[in-house]
Amino acid sequence: MSTTDEIKSRIDIVDLVSEAGVKLRKSGRNYTGFCPFHANKHTPAFVVWPETGTWRCFGECNEGGDIFKFVMKREGIDFKEALQKLADRAGVRIESYQRETPVQKEAYQHLRDLLEEAIIFYRNHLLNNREVLKYLHEKRGLTDATLETFGLGYAPNSWDAVLKHFTAKGHPEQDLIDAGLLTVRESESANNEFRTFDRFRHRIMIPIRDEQGRMAGFGARIVDPNDVPKFLNSPETPIFTKGRLLYGMERARKPIRTVDQAVIVEGYLDVIALHQAGYENVVSPMGTALTEEQLRLLKKFTRRIVLALDPDTAGQKAVLHGLEAVRSAMDREGEFGFDARGLLRNEARLQADLRVASMPDGLDPDEIVKRNREEWKQLIETAKPIVTHVMETLAAGRDIKDPKVKNQIASQVLPLIEDLPNAPERETYRQQLARLLKVDERALSGAQTQGPRLRRPRVVKQKSLPEAPGVAVTISSGRKVEEYIVAVLLRKPELLYRLDRLLETHGLAHLSAEDFEYTDYQLLFGLIHEAVQQDRTEHRDFVIESLPESLSGLSHELLAQTEKLDRLDEKLVEELSRGVKRIRDDAAAEKITQYKFLQEDAQEKGDSKTVTLYQTEVLKLTKLKRTIDEFDRKMSLRRLE
Ligand SMILES: [Zn+2]
């Protein structure tokens, strides 16, 4: 039994839902009550099935799932957290869900402990350095309490202070190198000698933790304005991966969820100053452009993300130089880079809402809150969509009456617009651009630059293989069908295009995460769906890389099941389509029964408006069922041919 199954078997969904404050009334084999997720208090449209451990709202939400989905939705947490919560409640230990091996875990813990010790070391040096303390207090406006909360420190101006201190305490040099505290370099006096010395010297030290609060590394900022580079981070280590961490995340995650918005700034000290000013939903990348992985991390907590950019970063430079410049900038420390196209793609793929707020008067965020606390709030509230931001930045201070300028701006903005996945959005921006440049919109659509378009499925040519006797798939329960679909698609994600096309030709909707009743299949399918919409990474690798730890056990299981999958792709697509038909058919039938039941309930109460509402729904579902059955009939005919 899988861990999720075991948890489900131990938790009574009726108890769980009742405890969440939903009053349930038994009716036949099920329970009904008022939906906790929408406001209507007239119709008990919320149904719980104790046998299958599932629930569904037949009203406004029209959504359902298992205990995990219920807790995720109710408490606004992600799958992993819901899993942990319910595991605790069920008394189930989630061992198979650790990605790190025990040996690695111990090694990583050792590095983290060492870094925690380093915080104390650097902190003591800060407390003894009046000059740096003065800078932090006066120039940066940070209080002692803030310095303590964020664990700020100072690395002394010495080549061997860390080396001496920690080796004297019995730490091997290699550990200090592994933790990124020391650097090794070949000695200049030749004879192949290597010299080990302190990586951070005469710098303000800022501890960086992962989103769970575990120590990961340091960011270091110069004290002497002539030193280079201005910012220096720990080197990449197993626990410090720049592209994956966000500074301040461990403190910001709760506030981000509470206000349902995350703000990204460029500097660690800006994060600290904003937190001190009471804006705690602020994080910063590690001095590089924002990665998809970082956005994915934020997306667990909110889909509304605002980038607060310095004027020079947000400026024309980044847009004009295009992708290559941004890419090379990403490798340099201390450069943020603003890659509009990359951000737009991630926004679409992750279904996030990305906006840009540019800082006025050449000020940094920390200077703005210092100047006027309210001003920050306003800047963030008036943040603009990326395309609008690019348009306005390009037009700022230029003579847009000049046809040459018009052309230049249009040729830079149009490819971004054409790249957007949905038509109404493209239309809106085209109009906006036309208004800005004071040109006819039709002139713009004629001047379109061809850019690679998102969501244009890449057609993968299939080699035809001789058909071998495959393992017969017996589809028994709904859960098994879902498992089968996800297992096959995980093995061959590219089949999703063909499946969707097949469904489409029969008037059926593309397969979507909502088709799945079980949370883990929903999540896995969501990743497969994302995978086929990008073309940077092999589809399956993309899924494996983005898997939350909690699903890695399940995905291995599924991949093992399909190892010997050797049927023709055409056959597989057909089987998949029958699977989809099956789960949709079941879902529709289930819903029809429930609606009829609810309809009777409403009739008894004389609520004719609700009765009509349910009747319409039943009609719609009956029609859907007919389309599904028709599809099934055609598919069977095809098999006979
Ligand atoms: Zn509802």
Side-chain angles (χ1 to χ4, degrees):
M1 204 194 289
S2 78
T3 312
T4 49
D5 282 336
E6 185 158 359
I7 295 169
K8 280 182 191 169
S9 73
R10 292 194 193 192
I11 291 177
D12 185 348
I13 189 163
V14 177
D15 287 349
L16 187 78
V17 173
S18 307
E19 274 176 36
V22 182
K23 252 199 167 152
L24 292 173
R25 186 168 61 93
K26 193 161 172 37
S27 60
R29 277 151 57 212
N30 314 325
Y31 289 81
T32 53
F34 293 109
C35 174
F37 306 125
H38 78 266
N40 183 336
K41 290 293 165 212
H42 301 294
T43 330
F46 193 78
V47 183
V48 173
W49 292 272
E51 277 168 32
T52 52
T54 53
W55 59 273
R56 175 164 285 279
C57 165
F58 288 91
E60 221 166 280
C61 316
N62 196 14
E63 208 183 335
D66 54 14
I67 49 172
F68 298 106
K69 182 80 186 292
F70 182 81
V71 172
M72 282 159 72
K73 205 166 151 62
R74 181 79 189 166
E75 301 188 18
I77 56 182
D78 64 26
F79 176 67
K80 200 173 149 193
E81 288 166 305
L83 182 75
Q84 188 59 59
K85 212 166 172 145
L86 292 173
D88 290 346
R89 180 184 167 127
V92 172
R93 282 192 52 192
I94 32 181
E95 278 164 321
S96 58
Y97 287 108
Q98 298 285 359
R99 186 163 44 188
E100 295 167 7
T101 66
V103 177
Q104 273 174 331
K105 229 183 136 186
E106 210 186 298
Y108 295 167
Q109 193 50 48
H110 182 66
L111 291 184
R112 288 179 180 124
D113 291 344
L114 193 52
L115 291 169
E116 293 285 354
E117 263 187 74
I119 296 179
I120 300 170
F121 171 82
Y122 291 132
R123 179 149 178 76
N124 285 334
H125 280 273
L126 175 66
L127 296 178
N128 288 318
N129 191 309
R130 265 215 212 129
E131 180 207 353
V132 179
L133 270 179
K134 196 174 156 201
Y135 167 80
L136 290 168
H137 286 151
E138 289 172 15
K139 274 265 159 53
R140 287 287 167 166
L142 301 178
T143 65
D144 280 330
T146 301
L147 296 182
E148 196 179 330
T149 305
F150 286 88
L152 263 58
Y154 167 71
N157 197 1
S158 148
W159 293 89
D160 58 6
V162 166
L163 178 67
K164 276 190 180 145
H165 176 87
F166 284 92
T167 45
K169 287 178 81 181
H171 291 289
E173 254 182 55
Q174 191 55 49
D175 282 6
L176 298 162
I177 296 166
D178 291 344
L181 296 170
L182 297 184
T183 300
V184 191
R185 209 173 285 161
E186 208 166 342
S187 151
E188 275 171 31
S189 58
N191 50 359
N192 295 335
E193 226 179 277
F194 285 89
R195 236 170 60 92
T196 311
F197 51 86
D198 289 11
R199 178 176 173 86
F200 304 107
R201 299 173 304 278
H202 191 36
R203 277 170 184 269
I204 293 164
M205 300 299 291
I206 303 161
I208 296 167
R209 297 176 182 276
D210 65 16
E211 79 274 12
Q212 293 174 46
R214 297 178 302 187
M215 193 50 193
F218 285 97
R221 191 194 190 286
I222 47 165
V223 176
D224 179 347
N226 297 318
D227 279 351
V228 281
K230 195 169 170 198
F231 299 99
L232 182 66
N233 282 320
S234 288
E236 295 277 311
T237 69
I239 54 171
F240 187 79
T241 318
K242 268 188 290 181
R244 203 178 291 160
L245 292 164
L246 282 166
Y247 179 67
M249 197 59 202
E250 87 280 8
R251 312 191 70 83
R253 53 184 282 174
K254 265 203 200 119
I256 286 174
R257 188 162 277 155
T258 311
V259 298
D260 189 20
Q261 181 189 58
V263 178
I264 293 165
V265 296
E266 295 178 41
Y268 306 147
L269 289 177
D270 287 319
V271 172
I272 297 174
L274 286 158
H275 278 245
Q276 182 176 281
Y279 297 110
E280 293 181 307
N281 60 334
V282 182
V283 295
S284 149
M286 306 281 112
T288 60
L290 204 57
T291 65
E292 185 178 335
E293 216 170 344
Q294 288 165 333
L295 283 173
R296 211 179 275 285
L297 172 62
L298 282 174
K299 251 297 291 284
K300 286 191 192 167
F301 303 95
T302 183
R303 53 181 289 278
R304 296 173 45 212
I305 298 163
V306 177
L307 285 94
L309 299 179
D310 288 358
D312 44 335
T313 315
Q316 304 181 11
K317 207 172 50 181
V319 186
L320 290 169
H321 288 179
L323 267 181
E324 285 316 307
V326 174
R327 234 175 248 135
S328 62
M330 277 169 67
D331 301 329
R332 259 174 276 147
E333 296 270 356
E335 287 201 33
F336 188 74
F338 174 74
D339 162 19
R341 172 167 281 175
L343 286 169
L344 283 167
R345 279 204 190 141
N346 281 328
E347 182 183 39
R349 188 183 303 144
L350 301 176
Q351 296 185 344
D353 173 6
L354 282 182
R355 278 160 199 263
V356 180
S358 26
M359 300 296 111
D361 308 330
L363 293 177
D364 281 335
D366 71 327
E367 292 167 317
I368 287 167
V369 276
K370 225 192 289 168
R371 172 163 94 173
N372 179 353
R373 203 185 156 273
E374 282 305 303
E375 190 180 355
W376 174 258
K377 206 169 142 196
Q378 284 201 350
L379 279 171
I380 298 304
E381 273 169 10
T382 53
K384 303 209 167 96
I386 294 169
V387 178
T388 312
H389 165 79
V390 171
M391 271 183 224
E392 290 178 0
T393 313
L394 287 175
R398 299 178 73 188
D399 176 20
I400 45 171
K401 274 186 236 128
D402 182 347
K404 228 163 125 191
V405 173
K406 278 189 214 271
N407 264 333
Q408 266 177 14
I409 296 177
S411 67
Q412 280 169 45
V413 179
L414 278 172
L416 292 180
I417 297 179
E418 293 314 311
D419 227 16
L420 295 172
N422 77 65
E425 215 181 339
R426 289 199 294 271
E427 189 52 34
T428 310
Y429 285 126
R430 244 184 254 127
Q431 284 167 4
Q432 203 180 322
L433 182 62
R435 270 200 308 276
L436 176 79
L437 301 179
K438 299 192 172 57
V439 295
D440 192 298
E441 202 198 323
R442 276 165 302 176
L444 285 182
S445 33
Q448 277 170 26
T449 325
Q450 280 299 316
R453 210 168 276 183
L454 199 73
R455 306 228 170 163
R456 166 89 21 110
R458 193 160 50 106
V459 181
V460 182
K461 282 240 167 75
Q462 298 297 334
K463 255 195 287 169
S464 9
L465 296 165
E467 190 173 5
V471 193
V473 186
T474 44
I475 290 171
S476 52
S477 71
R479 168 140 205 165
K480 268 268 166 284
V481 184
E482 292 190 11
E483 180 179 294
Y484 172 76
I485 295 172
V486 171
V488 172
L489 288 176
L490 185 61
R491 172 66 57 189
K492 299 186 155 195
E494 68 279 7
L495 291 186
L496 185 55
Y497 295 139
R498 298 178 55 176
L499 173 63
D500 279 345
R501 270 207 306 265
L502 180 62
L503 293 170
E504 203 179 314
T505 45
H506 292 273
L508 292 169
H510 289 183
L511 184 59
S512 84
E514 276 98 70
D515 279 315
F516 297 88
E517 198 75 33
Y518 295 88
T519 313
D520 22 16
Y521 299 135
Q522 241 174 31
L523 292 170
L524 263 174
F525 175 77
L527 289 177
I528 296 170
H529 194 242
E530 273 179 35
V532 297
Q533 285 176 352
Q534 54 85 47
D535 50 14
R536 276 185 307 131
T537 315
E538 273 298 350
H539 295 155
R540 200 191 316 146
D541 294 350
F542 178 92
V543 177
I544 304 291
E545 278 163 23
S546 8
L547 273 177
E549 287 165 52
S550 50
L551 286 180
S552 69
L554 176 66
S555 69
H556 284 307
E557 239 171 72
L558 295 180
L559 282 173
Q561 275 179 31
T562 53
E563 203 139 57
K564 296 208 180 76
L565 193 72
D566 48 10
R567 262 151 298 158
L568 279 173
D569 285 344
E570 205 190 326
K571 271 267 168 321
L572 286 172
V573 172
E574 206 179 283
E575 274 176 14
L576 286 172
S577 75
R578 267 186 285 145
V580 174
K581 182 246 160 199
R582 173 68 195 274
I583 53 177
R584 286 191 181 161
D585 218 346
D586 286 356
E590 186 89 76
K591 277 193 196 170
I592 290 175
T593 319
Q594 284 308 317
Y595 277 129
K596 286 194 170 147
F597 166 76
L598 292 164
Q599 199 179 306
E600 277 166 28
D601 235 14
Q603 232 146 17
E604 254 168 52
K605 280 195 213 127
D607 183 353
S608 59
K609 223 174 112 193
T610 312
V611 172
T612 327
L613 200 96
Y614 286 139
Q615 275 168 344
T616 328
E617 287 303 325
V618 170
L619 262 167
K620 265 196 248 164
L621 286 165
T622 317
K623 225 174 120 193
L624 172 68
K625 251 184 128 298
R626 222 179 294 139
T627 319
I628 297 171
D629 292 342
E630 179 65 16
F631 168 68
D632 197 36
R633 205 178 54 82
K634 281 188 198 144
M635 292 302 290
S636 322
L637 284 177
R638 237 172 80 167
R639 275 203 300 280
L640 290 174
E641 273 165 25

